[in-house]
Amino acid sequence: EAALADPGEPWTVFAGFIRRLVAADTSSMTLALAGRFTPTPAMFELAARSNELLGELFNRVRPALRDDTDVHDLSVITEMIASIKVPDRDRTMELRRRYTDLVLAGLRAPAPGAPPPAPLSGQPLRFEEVSARWAPRTGAS
């Protein structure tokens, strides 16, 4: 909601949002908890609302992103960054900031007149696939 309310330039809004999301470390919770319990209907409602807001933000900043980026790429990207973990917490955060910068560079639309980037392989994750990860896994502890 804060990113949507930010009147700034689309790339700056987007990059700030991703950096705050990585710093908040909420994606680590997804990695640790997905499939380990049955979410309540209220949790699914919150997830749907979050997905809706993310879609609105994505549509707003879309011109600043490479053409083949999809909204659901963002969940996977933040989870990949959250998986970076070394014993030293400060070093973990330094590495996460570094890889956030690298990922953001890859997401940014090319400058006007620059050649387009090579197309991405495969299709992006669908919302159904994101949501399905929360279903309890057989044998989950």
Side-chain angles (χ1 to χ4, degrees):
E1 290 171 346
L4 278 170
D6 187 331
E9 183 269 327
W11 177 256
T12 303
V13 170
F14 175 74
F17 168 74
I18 294 296
R19 286 187 175 107
R20 285 189 307 275
L21 194 60
V22 168
D25 203 18
T26 57
S27 294
S28 290
M29 290 178 18
T30 300
L31 292 170
L33 299 176
R36 303 223 178 254
F37 67 96
T38 302
T40 66
M43 290 173 167
F44 277 117
E45 287 177 29
L46 287 171
R49 176 69 177 143
S50 176
N51 185 57
E52 178 184 322
L53 291 171
L54 183 59
E56 288 177 35
L57 177 63
F58 186 82
N59 288 336
R60 178 175 166 224
V61 303
R62 186 83 185 96
L65 303 175
R66 53 183 289 156
D67 290 339
D68 51 359
T69 304
D70 183 81
V71 66
H72 297 301
D73 291 330
L74 305 180
S75 297
V76 175
I77 287 168
T78 56
E79 288 174 23
M80 288 185 328
I81 294 168
S83 73
I84 300 167
K85 196 172 214 172
V86 296
D88 182 296
R89 173 80 175 146
D90 290 339
R91 179 69 173 137
T92 293
M93 296 315 292
E94 177 184 354
L95 289 167
R96 288 179 183 180
R97 286 188 298 271
R98 174 185 173 78
Y99 292 106
T100 298
D101 290 345
L102 279 168
V103 166
L104 286 171
L107 288 170
R108 193 167 194 171
L120 298 173
S121 59
Q123 295 299 309
L125 198 66
R126 296 182 309 274
F127 183 66
E128 297 76 31
E129 292 169 313
V130 173
S131 297
R133 298 176 307 154
W134 286 98
R137 292 177 241 161
T138 306
S141 52

